[in-house]
């Protein structure tokens, strides 16, 4: 299946913040069970998921269920991926990323041209787009858009899930995806989401 932009995808690699956003939907299992791509999380990013954004929920138990059910596997960098990882984590703080983001990108780039990192963080997005302008990069909102447009989830389901991620996990939405998200959840709900900023 392709993304909403039409580019072919086989595998998506979730950064920690994206996994936290999915946990924050409260229906991550329902989402991951219909995602048409292989979903993986690199071990360094996996270790950065230290709590569940919804009070009273056990993030460790839910992440184990993701793996046991084949919804999101845990992977490790191969030797041929470590040079990219080292380049992204060494040097000036202005130009480097944390280990989870760097590992997410390094795994995706080294795995396949149809393997795409999913990252919400602005700095990581900017660095990726500058260094690899011909490679695709997604954010959490892109996953929801692709599922809605493919008819794999209803717009109502996606609206509730996105709103929950915005309120519980403070999901970041880029300017590119903000119009779609605002249309999805509506102005009333958007006004209650500080992470959407003034556009809400």
């Amino acid at each position: 299946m392709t993304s909403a932009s039409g580019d072919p995808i086989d595998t998506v690699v979730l950064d920690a913040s994206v996994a936290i956003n999915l946990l924050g939907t409260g229906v991550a299992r329902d989402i991951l069970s219909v995602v048409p791509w292989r979903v993986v999380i690199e071990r360094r990013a996996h270790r950065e998921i230290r709590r569940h954004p919804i009070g009273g929920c056990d993030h460790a138990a839910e992440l184990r269920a993701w793996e046991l059910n084949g919804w999101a596997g845990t992977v490790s960098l191969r030797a041929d991926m470590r040079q990219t990882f080292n380049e992204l984590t060494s040097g000036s703080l202005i130009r480097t990323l944390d280990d989870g983001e760097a590992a997410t990108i390094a795994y995706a780039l080294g795995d396949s041209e149809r393997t795409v990192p999913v990252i919400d963080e602005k700095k990581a997005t900017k660095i990726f787009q500058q260094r690899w302008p011909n490679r695709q990069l997604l954010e959490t909102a892109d996953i929801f858009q692709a599922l809605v447009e493919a008819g794999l989830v209803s717009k109502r389901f996606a609206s509730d899930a996105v709103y929950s991620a915005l309120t519980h996990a403070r999901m970041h939405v880029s300017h590119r995806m903000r119009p779609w998200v605002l249309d999805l959840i509506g102005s009333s709900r958007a006004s209650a989401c500080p992470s959407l900023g003034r556009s809400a």
Side-chain angles (χ1 to χ4, degrees), residues 9 48 50 59 138 183 187:
I9 297 174
E48 293 178 357
R50 299 187 178 95
H59 72 287
L138 300 178
D183 178 68
S187 58

Side-chain angles (χ1 to χ4, degrees), residues 84-155:
T84 302
F85 173 79
N86 291 335
E87 290 173 358
L88 290 169
T89 55
S90 303
S92 166
L93 287 175
I94 297 174
R95 298 175 183 169
T96 59
L97 304 177
D98 69 30
D99 284 2
E101 293 163 351
T104 299
I105 290 171
Y107 186 90
L109 291 172
D111 188 52
S112 163
E113 288 189 358
R114 294 191 175 192
T115 298
V116 178
V118 189
I119 294 177
D120 288 344
E121 204 272 328
K122 292 180 182 178
K123 180 180 175 183
T125 297
K126 183 177 181 180
I127 289 173
F128 183 91
Q129 291 173 336
Q130 288 175 341
R131 293 192 60 176
W132 297 282
N134 296 322
R135 289 294 298 260
Q136 188 177 187
L137 176 72
L138 300 178
E139 62 182 274
T140 307
D142 284 306
I143 295 176
F144 290 107
Q145 184 183 35
L147 294 180
V148 169
E149 294 189 354
L152 295 170
V153 301
S154 69
K155 194 171 180 180

Side-chain angles (χ1 to χ4, degrees), residues 25-84:
T25 65
V27 289
R29 298 180 185 190
D30 296 327
I31 295 165
L32 290 170
S33 66
V34 299
V35 169
W37 312 305
R38 174 176 174 246
V39 180
V40 298
I41 307 172
E42 206 284 329
R43 292 186 187 282
R44 291 167 180 80
H46 197 280
R47 287 197 293 267
E48 293 178 357
I49 308 167
R50 299 187 178 95
R51 67 177 185 85
H52 201 296
I54 299 177
C57 295
D58 184 347
H59 72 287
E62 190 161 348
L63 291 173
R64 280 196 300 272
W66 291 8
E67 189 151 15
L68 288 171
N69 287 281
W71 297 328
T74 305
V75 295
S76 298
L77 292 180
R78 299 192 306 262
D80 60 305
M81 300 171 175
R82 287 179 187 147
Q83 181 177 348
T84 302

Side-chain angles (χ1 to χ4, degrees), residues 21 120 122 139 141 162-175 177-178 181-182 185 189-200:
N21 289 337
D120 288 344
K122 292 180 182 178
E139 62 182 274
V162 167
Y163 179 66
S164 184
L166 287 165
T167 54
H168 292 294
R170 296 182 65 86
M171 181 177 84
H172 176 262
V173 180
S174 69
H175 291 291
M177 288 301 297
R178 211 160 283 184
V181 168
L182 292 175
I185 67 172
R189 280 179 156 183
S191 65
C193 301
S195 62
L196 288 176
R198 293 180 181 178
S199 63

